[in-house]
Amino acid sequence: MDLRNWRKYGIAYLFLAPSLIGLIVFKLYPIVKTLILSFTQWDGFQPYKFIGLANYKDLLTDETFKISLVNNLLYTLVTVPITIVLSILLAMLMNFKVRGIKGFRLLYFFPNITAAIAIGIIWAAMFEQYGPINTILRAFGVGNPPGWLASTSLALPAIMLVSIWKSVGYNAVILFAGLQGVPRHLYEAAELDGAGRFKRFIHVTLPGLSPVIYFTVMTGIIYSFQVFDTVMSMTQGGPGRSTNVLVYYIYNTAFQNYHFGAASAMSYVLFVIILILTLIQTKAQKRWVSY
């Protein structure tokens, strides 16, 4: 590039420089460093010891890793569909022009502007043996309500419930914005053809919302495989390993047990899982998303 072009574009490069430096230092460098660490044995203090693919081979026999992966898959299969369905219903409620609807929208978005750790602590208190939830159950005649977070069968569903509650408002706001973009004349044409509310929803609303639904499904799956703060604040992976998920296991392996090489290998396995699911969704969306 000659001097004339440098003068022309120099100011643009100057403004871009902080972002480029941040991208290299906080994104690209950790990605490359994690890949290198995944082929080593390193406790954070001693020099690296190159061990090839040993960390990846160990994952094949690591029972905690398998349990964490299964828990993550269950978490995804339950929370994503329920969240999307509830978000669509909530977005349609938000679309009604009634008095006080703005306050209603703000109320459901409120969990997204609250710290996730604070939400987890509050819900953990609500799920305690003598917390508000069991108090309500006793009021309705349930003599011996469960210890939600102390049960190996109920702790993960309790975390799923909190995650759904937290995510519904955010997704509903996005879907509500999508509803504003569905052309009104399509509803009018469907109405002239005698289509009722349900048929208008199936043949007009859902196709019109399909790009937004695709976005919320994709981001929901990615988020579900990165869930950490709710597990950390409510159960810390317990009781036993019933709520252990991949990111929480990676955190424990790296910062509790100081096995940074193994944790790096898990991180890359998680990356590959998310990449494969994203590619599948990108391929499948051509069949059901209307642009």
Side-chain angles (χ1 to χ4, degrees):
M1 189 177 291
D2 57 26
L3 185 60
R4 185 177 177 183
N5 283 331
W6 271 110
R7 286 176 179 171
K8 184 177 180 182
Y9 298 110
I11 191 71
Y13 290 127
L14 189 64
F15 278 105
L16 285 173
S19 297
L20 287 174
I21 293 171
L23 178 68
I24 293 169
V25 174
F26 297 110
K27 296 287 185 181
L28 296 181
Y29 174 73
I31 288 172
V32 175
K33 187 66 179 284
T34 302
L35 180 62
I36 295 170
L37 283 178
S38 70
F39 300 113
T40 67
Q41 189 179 50
W42 187 50
D43 62 1
F45 303 100
Q46 302 298 323
Y48 303 135
K49 181 182 177 183
F50 184 75
I51 56 174
L53 294 173
N55 285 324
Y56 292 96
K57 290 178 182 176
D58 289 344
L59 294 181
L60 298 175
T61 55
D62 187 339
E63 288 302 317
T64 304
F65 178 76
K66 292 177 183 176
I67 291 171
S68 302
L69 179 59
V70 170
N71 286 340
N72 244 142
L73 289 172
L74 282 174
Y75 178 91
T76 303
L77 289 173
V78 173
T79 58
V80 174
I82 294 177
T83 299
I84 299 301
V85 171
L86 292 178
S87 300
I88 292 173
L89 295 175
L90 187 59
M92 295 186 71
L93 286 175
M94 289 178 174
N95 205 28
F96 285 121
K97 292 180 174 57
V98 296
R99 192 173 182 181
I101 193 64
K102 290 184 179 177
F104 178 74
R105 294 169 190 164
L106 178 64
L107 181 68
Y108 273 90
F109 194 73
F110 190 71
N112 293 283
I113 56 175
T114 306
I117 294 294
I119 289 175
I121 292 172
I122 292 170
W123 273 97
M126 292 179 70
F127 278 118
E128 284 183 356
Q129 186 65 39
Y130 293 96
I133 292 175
N134 279 356
T135 301
I136 293 172
L137 291 177
R138 289 189 186 92
F140 281 93
V142 179
N144 187 24
W148 298 89
L149 301 183
S151 166
T152 54
S153 59
L154 293 176
L156 187 59
I159 289 175
M160 292 174 182
L161 177 66
V162 175
S163 298
I164 291 169
W165 171 82
K166 182 185 169 190
S167 303
V168 162
Y170 173 76
N171 287 326
V173 169
I174 295 174
L175 289 163
F176 168 71
L179 278 175
Q180 309 306 304
V182 180
R184 304 307 304 171
H185 69 268
L186 294 180
Y187 287 105
E188 293 166 3
E191 205 166 350
L192 286 174
D193 286 341
R197 286 180 181 272
F198 182 72
K199 284 190 175 180
R200 291 203 297 272
F201 173 74
I202 295 295
H203 298 292
V204 179
T205 304
L206 282 184
L209 270 182
S210 57
V212 187
I213 294 174
Y214 165 65
F215 170 77
T216 53
V217 169
M218 191 162 68
T219 53
I221 290 175
I222 293 173
Y223 169 77
S224 68
F225 274 95
Q226 295 177 337
V227 61
F228 171 78
D229 39 25
T230 310
V231 173
M232 179 72 178
S233 56
M234 290 183 67
T235 62
Q236 297 186 346
R241 295 176 289 186
S242 61
T243 60
N244 221 354
V245 288
L246 288 176
V247 173
Y248 185 74
Y249 186 43
I250 291 170
Y251 166 80
N252 269 343
T253 304
F255 299 105
Q256 300 291 326
N257 300 322
Y258 300 104
H259 295 158
F260 289 96
S264 299
M266 289 182 215
S267 300
Y268 262 87
V269 171
L270 177 59
F271 165 74
V272 170
I273 291 171
I274 292 175
L275 178 64
I276 291 172
L277 291 175
T278 303
L279 291 175
I280 291 173
Q281 291 176 79
T282 304
K283 189 77 174 175
Q285 57 94 19
K286 296 175 182 174
R287 297 177 178 273
W288 62 276
V289 176
S290 304
Y291 291 103

